[in-house]
Amino acid sequence: MEKKLGFGFMRLPLLDQNDPGSIDFALLQNMVDTFMERGFTYFDTAWMYCGGKSEGAVKEVLTSKYPRDSFTVTSKLPSGALEDKAARDTLFNTQLERTGLDYFDYYLLHAVSGGNLARFEELDCFTWLRDKKEKGLVRNIGFSYHDGPELLDKLLTEHPYMDVVQLQINYLDWENPKVQSRACYEVAVKHGKKILIMEPVKGGALANVPENVEAMFYNRSPKMSVASWAVRFAASLPGVFMVLSGMSNMEQVLDNTRFMENLTPLTEEEMKMVLFAGEVMRKEMKIACTGCAYCLDQCPRKIAIPQYFKLYNENGEKTAYEKLTKEFGKASDCIVCGACEKICPQHLPIRKYLRVVAEKYE
């Protein structure tokens, strides 16, 4: 049985933190080797991750070095890169070439929501995806999802042949009205789908919690890391077959594999404690950005939105902001086009928050 921890190739170790494509391949190779040596075999990538370099990294450190039956790879079809129906096959074949594979274990429609669903339907991507499975080019099909439970229920009713749903689930978003993790999870369970979890640590936010929350976790179990509570919360939910973690250093690999090697599900009391911690954090969090950088890819002014939000949340120095503006657009350069908000998985009012950042740092 495959262990429940997957390696997300979205937040890889970088040589330059301001260049998502500057992957530190030497370190990544050591991380992947350690991950595999400890019995973990699931890897998740996508077309645009790491400035478009993630799928190539899979080939560099995994598929060119290990037997095909020793690992599992997932990739995804992005709506934004599809100009017409012909582009579906062109992109898919490029992804197989990039990753060095002749089939994908899992292949998903990427980040399905009310904002891009029309595009997927216009190009008949659901039927196209089923055809890929019938031809043996994909073993399991599904979609990653960023919207409410009502639309999810509709999609799974209309497309019952979907094998898997990838959902954003973590204890901070479990009752978050914008994300609705719990409600979406319950819909997937109702339809009997395999559940793949993304953002269990919410872009690292649940690895750096307020002191009062950290103390709560430490008092319960001094040997468990803060991040372990978030990953174990997600992995403890019935129906979840895999939890992805975007690991960017060896410490994270060692910690995650340590407590996930022989997973001990959270007790009912621990579940309540973790959810209470989420309530505490929701009241204190300023901007709930996960740093996925989808918005940066869409911004016509190349504003470093996730970096600025991280800086603001951490009450960073003005000098750090000014250093970023030498390479990226300033927060005040926003032309209020809204392209960022259409693609934001967290449904954040980005334009509003950019004004807040500009007021603080400019």
Side-chain angles (χ1 to χ4, degrees):
M1 183 177 177
E2 201 165 22
K3 294 182 180 179
K4 277 191 176 184
L5 177 68
F7 198 140
F9 267 45
M10 180 181 182
R11 299 181 176 92
L12 299 179
L14 302 177
L15 297 171
D16 178 356
Q17 296 306 310
N18 293 323
D19 179 2
S22 64
I23 299 169
D24 185 339
F25 281 103
L27 175 54
L28 178 60
Q29 186 68 69
N30 288 335
M31 292 165 63
V32 167
D33 290 344
T34 300
F35 190 76
M36 292 284 284
E37 287 166 5
R38 295 189 171 199
F40 296 87
T41 59
Y42 192 103
F43 296 85
D44 175 272
T45 185
W47 177 261
M48 75 282 288
Y49 289 173
C50 298
K53 302 291 181 63
S54 175
E55 290 174 328
V58 170
K59 182 177 181 179
E60 177 76 18
V61 300
L62 178 69
T63 65
S64 64
K65 296 186 174 3
Y66 288 92
R68 181 62 183 94
D69 60 358
S70 67
F71 56 79
T72 298
V73 174
T74 296
S75 197
K76 312 173 189 76
L77 182 76
S79 61
L82 300 177
E83 296 180 359
D84 50 33
K85 287 187 176 181
R88 300 172 305 180
D89 283 335
T90 301
L91 192 146
F92 181 83
N93 292 334
T94 301
Q95 290 178 292
L96 286 176
E97 184 179 349
R98 276 182 173 185
T99 55
L101 297 171
D102 53 4
Y103 70 88
F104 286 110
D105 300 281
Y106 291 83
Y107 194 78
L108 315 176
L109 302 184
H110 197 176
V112 173
S113 70
N116 65 8
L117 178 59
R119 187 62 175 162
F120 281 127
E121 291 181 334
E122 176 189 353
L123 299 178
D124 199 21
C125 292
F126 287 90
T127 303
W128 172 87
L129 188 57
R130 181 167 58 176
D131 181 61
K132 282 286 179 277
K133 180 179 178 181
E134 291 174 353
K135 291 178 177 176
L137 294 169
V138 177
R139 299 292 170 86
N140 299 272
I141 59 175
F143 55 90
S144 61
Y145 185 74
H146 289 288
D147 212 307
E150 295 81 12
L151 180 58
L152 179 59
D153 189 45
K154 178 175 180 291
L155 288 174
L156 292 178
T157 300
E158 293 175 351
H159 307 286
Y161 48 85
M162 290 288 151
D163 301 308
V164 60
V165 181
Q166 182 170 310
L167 299 173
Q168 176 173 317
I169 294 180
N170 56 68
Y171 66 78
L172 188 64
D173 290 324
W174 191 243
E175 299 295 351
N176 183 339
K178 291 184 178 179
V179 181
Q180 301 187 73
S181 284
R182 177 185 58 77
C184 289
Y185 163 77
E186 290 172 352
V187 168
V189 170
K190 182 183 79 170
H191 285 271
K193 301 302 175 185
K194 295 171 69 175
I195 300 171
L196 172 62
I197 291 183
M198 57 184 159
E199 300 291 0
V201 194
K202 200 170 174 68
L206 302 185
N208 298 286
V209 299
E211 289 183 3
N212 54 342
V213 173
E214 184 175 3
M216 188 190 313
F217 291 152
Y218 180 82
N219 290 335
R220 179 73 187 189
S221 182
K223 294 183 179 180
M224 298 302 294
S225 66
V226 170
S228 72
W229 288 98
V231 177
R232 288 172 61 223
F233 167 81
S236 297
L237 297 170
V240 170
F241 85 98
M242 191 62 60
V243 178
L244 302 176
S245 178
M247 294 173 276
S248 55
N249 57 54
M250 183 61 82
E251 290 73 23
Q252 292 169 356
V253 172
L254 294 174
D255 184 47
N256 281 342
T257 54
R258 177 181 61 82
F259 63 76
M260 288 294 286
E261 194 159 13
N262 296 294
L263 173 65
T264 302
L266 299 185
T267 65
E268 184 177 349
E269 183 182 352
E270 288 172 332
M271 279 286 202
K272 290 179 179 178
M273 178 192 71
V274 167
L275 290 173
F276 175 72
E279 292 177 17
V280 172
M281 289 187 66
R282 269 196 305 277
K283 294 175 182 177
E284 298 182 7
M285 182 168 279
K286 290 180 278 191
I287 301 178
C289 172
T290 64
C292 71
Y294 292 177
C295 55
L296 180 55
D297 293 334
Q298 297 295 313
C299 180
R301 304 306 295 270
K302 294 302 175 187
I303 299 170
I305 298 169
Q307 291 96 321
Y308 293 159
F309 287 173
K310 183 175 186 292
L311 193 68
Y312 181 83
N313 281 336
E314 296 174 353
N315 198 29
E317 297 293 331
K318 185 177 180 180
T319 52
Y321 175 80
E322 291 172 343
K323 183 178 180 181
L324 283 167
T325 61
K326 293 178 180 179
E327 188 171 347
F328 300 97
K330 297 185 294 184
S332 61
D333 288 340
C334 175
I335 59 174
V336 203
C337 66
C340 54
E341 294 182 9
K342 291 178 183 177
I343 200 170
C344 177
Q346 310 308 316
H347 310 291
L348 298 176
I350 295 175
R351 291 171 288 183
K352 170 189 169 185
Y353 286 147
L354 282 176
R355 289 195 298 270
V356 172
V357 170
E359 289 171 6
K360 179 178 176 65
Y361 290 108
E362 296 179 31

